[in-house]
Amino acid sequence: PLVKAFFDVLFADKDGVDHFHQLPKLLAWMKYFYECGLYRNPNRGHVLILAGPPGKGKGFFQEGILGDLMGGSEDGTPYLVEENKWTENIASCPVLNVADSKATEDYKTAAAFSNNLKKIDANACIRHSKKFGSEGDIPWNGRIVVTCNTDAESLSILPNMEISNRDKVSMFKASDVKLKFPSFRECQLQLKKELPFFARFLLDWKIPEDLLTDETRFGVANFLHPDLFEASVEQGQSGVAAQMVHSFIVADEAASGHQRDRWTGTSSELYAVMSQMNQQFSKEFKSIKGFQSVLGHLKNHNFLRVE
């Protein structure tokens, strides 16, 4: 009853409508992951991103349902965000959790996190390092689960959606409808009773044909919620803009012959000057409006001081 009640409202609005039919897509991802473990046939899967309002139950899903179903979960923040060297505890864990609180502290941290996700997914291995012990890369076919709120600051954790990343990530957006959870202890007891039945359901449930894929790396088709995809593209553009603005400042200083402490002009004038200086800039930013949006993002993350 608890697991069903949670999934019934995870994506449904107040009228009970799951507008993007996200639940079957999430269940397909879970079924493939569970069967890989059950039948001892480990394979890679998509990085899972679940965005939703506070109190929605993202942690309940991440640690309670998925973590307990698969045999354990660990906080992946020290390795994926802080680049902690010691990884013995996570290298043997099937589920790595990352929340938005630490991964969005600044632009560089978010960029490093995005790069680490891409590296692990591409190589299907993780660095195993133990104090006073051996060190080396080992195969890892677990799953990384990222949860975040839906405000602009929290969404800066979303990885850069460049073309090479788009097939490696699934993005789901929860609804605003909230479930009234029992106490933490009661949730634990209920999950212990219900998860075996939920596992049986996953095994018996047939994945819809349109979610199956010939792509053998990830088993099922990925899903990119349009709201989250749009936000992630903007994050990627912010990185590109940051590099191009830096190059523009260096070139402008070289042309003037002395160091400048500021550039004065409107955003439209800056867009025009940078377009003339760098042809790639006009390809990346085809409108002034998009460039202005990215400037605002860079300002909010203290990369630029815009007045």
Side-chain angles (χ1 to χ4, degrees):
L2 179 60
V3 173
K4 183 180 186 302
F6 171 75
F7 282 117
D8 280 348
V9 301
L10 181 58
F11 301 118
D13 62 15
K14 61 181 180 179
D15 297 320
V17 180
D18 178 1
H19 291 278
F20 291 95
H21 305 289
Q22 294 182 86
L23 185 56
K25 298 175 176 68
L26 177 63
L27 292 176
W29 181 90
M30 295 180 72
K31 176 183 173 73
Y32 179 67
F33 184 25
Y34 182 67
E35 290 184 343
C36 284
L38 181 67
Y39 300 129
R40 301 187 180 187
N41 181 31
N43 280 298
R44 288 184 291 172
H46 303 111
V47 173
L48 181 72
I49 295 174
L50 178 61
K56 179 65 181 181
K58 299 186 293 292
F60 174 76
F61 167 78
Q62 191 181 50
E63 299 177 27
I65 295 180
L66 187 64
D68 287 354
L69 182 72
M70 296 308 304
S73 62
E74 282 282 350
D75 181 9
T77 306
Y79 179 66
L80 294 167
V81 179
E82 301 166 0
E83 299 187 325
N84 191 318
K85 181 180 180 181
W86 311 117
T87 60
E88 182 188 14
N89 63 318
I90 66 172
S92 59
C93 189
V95 180
L96 298 186
N97 301 326
V98 180
D100 58 22
S101 57
K102 291 185 178 180
T104 57
E105 290 180 349
D106 53 53
Y107 168 74
K108 289 185 178 180
T109 303
F113 171 64
S114 183
N115 289 333
N116 283 335
L117 288 182
K118 182 178 179 180
K119 180 173 65 176
I120 291 175
D121 191 80
N123 299 327
C125 67
I126 202 167
R127 193 72 176 171
H128 181 275
S129 184
K130 179 181 179 181
K131 285 187 178 181
F132 312 113
S134 59
E135 180 177 342
D137 291 335
I138 62 171
W140 190 79
N141 287 288
R143 301 292 187 269
I144 299 171
V145 181
V146 181
T147 58
C148 63
N149 294 333
T150 50
D151 60 279
E153 185 69 20
S154 298
L155 289 177
S156 62
I157 194 176
L158 298 177
N160 182 354
M161 279 291 101
E162 59 189 48
I163 294 177
S164 62
N165 276 351
R166 293 179 187 179
D167 64 335
K168 300 179 177 67
V169 177
S170 276
M171 297 178 169
F172 295 90
K173 184 178 181 182
S175 68
D176 293 331
V177 181
K178 295 181 181 180
L179 176 69
K180 186 176 181 181
F181 288 95
S183 68
F184 177 75
R185 178 60 177 163
E186 289 174 329
C187 282
Q188 287 184 311
L189 293 174
Q190 281 295 104
L191 284 175
K192 189 174 182 180
K193 293 178 182 178
E194 294 182 21
L195 281 179
F197 295 94
F198 178 63
R200 182 74 259 172
F201 160 77
L202 285 178
L203 292 175
D204 293 341
W205 181 71
K206 290 187 177 181
I207 298 176
E209 288 293 328
D210 62 323
L211 298 183
L212 295 173
T213 174
D214 294 332
E215 175 56 70
T216 57
R217 287 186 303 168
F218 304 119
V220 296
N222 71 326
F223 170 72
L224 301 173
H225 191 284
D227 293 347
L228 303 182
F229 179 72
E230 182 179 349
S232 65
V233 169
E234 186 174 310
Q235 309 299 335
Q237 285 186 325
S238 296
V240 173
Q243 297 173 3
M244 290 186 171
V245 169
H246 176 72
S247 299
F248 167 74
I249 292 172
V250 172
D252 187 53
E253 289 180 348
S256 65
H258 63 274
Q259 186 173 358
R260 296 180 184 271
D261 62 351
R262 69 180 62 196
W263 185 92
T264 303
T266 65
S267 58
S268 298
E269 291 171 338
L270 179 61
Y271 179 85
V273 173
M274 291 185 66
S275 296
Q276 292 175 358
M277 182 177 291
N278 187 341
Q279 292 183 349
Q280 185 62 31
F281 175 81
S282 57
K283 293 180 181 179
E284 291 287 346
F285 303 96
K286 297 180 180 180
S287 70
I288 296 176
K289 185 177 179 180
F291 180 59
Q292 290 171 333
S293 176
V294 171
L295 282 180
H297 179 76
L298 295 177
K299 175 187 176 182
N300 292 337
H301 285 76
N302 298 318
F303 185 88
L304 295 175
R305 189 178 73 228
V306 182
E307 299 175 354

